Amino acid sequence: MKKIVAILLAGLMVVPAVFAKKIDKSIPVGVSMPTKDLQRWNQDGANMKAKLEEAGYKVDLQYANNDVATQISQIENMLTKGDKVLVIAPIDGSSLTNVLKTAKKKKVQVISYDRLIMNSDAVSYYATFDNYKVGTFQANFLIEKLGLKTRTASNPVTMEFFAGDPGDNNAGFFFNGAYDALKPYIDKGVIVVPSGQKSFAQVATLMWSSETAQSRMENLIAAQGYGPKGKKLDAVCASNDSTALGVVNALVGANYTADNIPIVTGQDCDIANVKNMLKGLQAMSIFKDTRTLADKVVGMVDAIMQGKKPPVNDTTTYNNNSLNQKDPKSYVKSYLCEPVVGTTDNYKALLIDSGYYKESELR
C-alpha cells in the first residue's frame, strides 16, 4: 500500500503547476473610448492613460468620434499590433461581437469599461459604477424634495422622464433604478406624467444627445403647455447631465428661471451642469469619480499583466447575453464603484477640494 501511495505522490510531483502567463510591460494596453465630444469620456481617457503610464505600462488610447465603424477599426488595429489587454467603453454595446471573436482567438483579455459589451463571450471583466443605484439615488432625491411620502393623489406632482441611449446597456439600469423607486407613487396617482411617456423606449435619448433631449423637451412644452404661467411641471427625471443640459436649455427657452424651474436631476457632474446647479437651474447630479474607476481598471490590468486574477465584487448582476440567459457564465465578473449625490451643498468638497476640478473651471 505504501508503495502505491509513494508512486502516486511521485506522479503528482511531476505535474507542472498551471499559472496564467505574465505579459511583457512593453506590450501596449489598448484603450478604446467612444468620443472626445462629451467631457466625461475625454476625462476618462486621460485619467486611464495617466494612471496606466504611472504604473509603468505603454498605452494605445483611441477615441472613436461616436462612430461604431471607427471603433471597430481601431480595435482591429490594436489586435493586429499585438495588444494583449483591451479596455473598451463601447459606443454601442452590441456592435463588437465579431471583432471580439478575434480577440478571443488571440487570447486577449477584454475589460468592458463603464458600459457593458453585449453578446460576446470574449469579455473577461467589467468595471463600472453601481448603475441601478444611480437611478435609485436620483429617485430618492426627488422623493425627498417633492415630499412624495406625505403627498396624496389630491395634490399630485407632475413629472417627465428622460433616459439615455438604447445602445448603452447602462441606460436601462439608470432608468429602471429611478422608475422602480418612483413607480409606487405613479401607481397611487401621487406622480402624474402628463405626456404618458413612461417606458424606456418612449423616453430614450439617442447618443445621450443634448440637442435631442432639448428638442423633445421643447415638443413636450408645446404639446402640454408647460410654462411658468402655463401647466405646472414639478420635475424632470433626467438620467444624465447631457440630457439634463438639453432639458434645462428648453426650459430656460420657455422662460423658466431659477425661481420657478422644475427640479431637474442629472449624472456625471459635468462642468456645464455644475454651473447650472450653481445658477439654480439643475437640482443635483450624481458624481461618479472617474479617477476611482480608472484606479480599479488599472488594478485589473495590472493583475492580468502579472498573471493574476483581478479583484471583483459582483458576479450576478450583469448578464451580457453571451450564452443562455440562465447560464451563470453569461454574468460578467464585475467591479462596481459607488456613486455619490452631488448638490450645491457638497459640490465644493466633492469636486474642488478633491482636485477633480479647479474652482476657476466652475465660474
Side-chain angles (χ1 to χ4, degrees), residues 59-189:
V59 182
D60 181 8
L61 171 62
Q62 299 289 329
Y63 293 91
N65 300 319
N66 261 340
D67 182 73
V68 172
T70 298
Q71 185 167 49
I72 290 171
S73 177
Q74 289 172 344
I75 293 170
E76 286 173 343
N77 289 337
M78 291 173 183
L79 294 170
T80 299
K81 286 186 291 185
D83 295 0
K84 293 298 182 184
V85 179
L86 300 182
V87 179
I88 303 171
I91 296 167
D92 181 335
S94 299
S95 66
L96 303 179
T97 305
N98 288 332
V99 68
L100 291 186
K101 286 179 181 177
T102 303
K104 187 170 184 180
K105 286 179 183 177
K106 293 190 173 187
K107 297 183 179 179
V108 171
Q109 297 284 298
V110 176
I111 299 172
S112 192
Y113 182 86
D114 196 49
R115 296 173 171 177
L116 183 58
I117 297 168
M118 304 298 292
N119 305 320
S120 173
D121 60 0
V123 180
S124 310
Y125 299 96
Y126 180 35
T128 189
F129 286 84
D130 190 328
N131 298 312
Y132 187 86
K133 189 178 285 187
V134 167
T136 302
F137 282 178
Q138 291 170 336
N140 288 342
F141 182 89
L142 292 169
I143 290 167
E144 179 185 348
K145 293 300 180 183
L146 295 168
L148 297 185
K149 290 181 180 179
T150 56
R151 278 185 183 258
T152 65
S154 63
N155 181 30
V157 300
T158 54
M159 187 182 299
E160 296 290 353
F161 289 88
F162 280 72
D165 186 355
D168 181 350
N169 187 64
N170 287 350
F173 280 90
F174 299 144
F175 175 76
N176 290 333
Y179 194 83
D180 288 351
L182 295 173
K183 188 175 184 297
Y185 300 98
I186 294 172
D187 292 344
K188 293 175 186 176

Side-chain angles (χ1 to χ4, degrees), residues 206 292 334:
L206 287 174
T292 301
S334 306

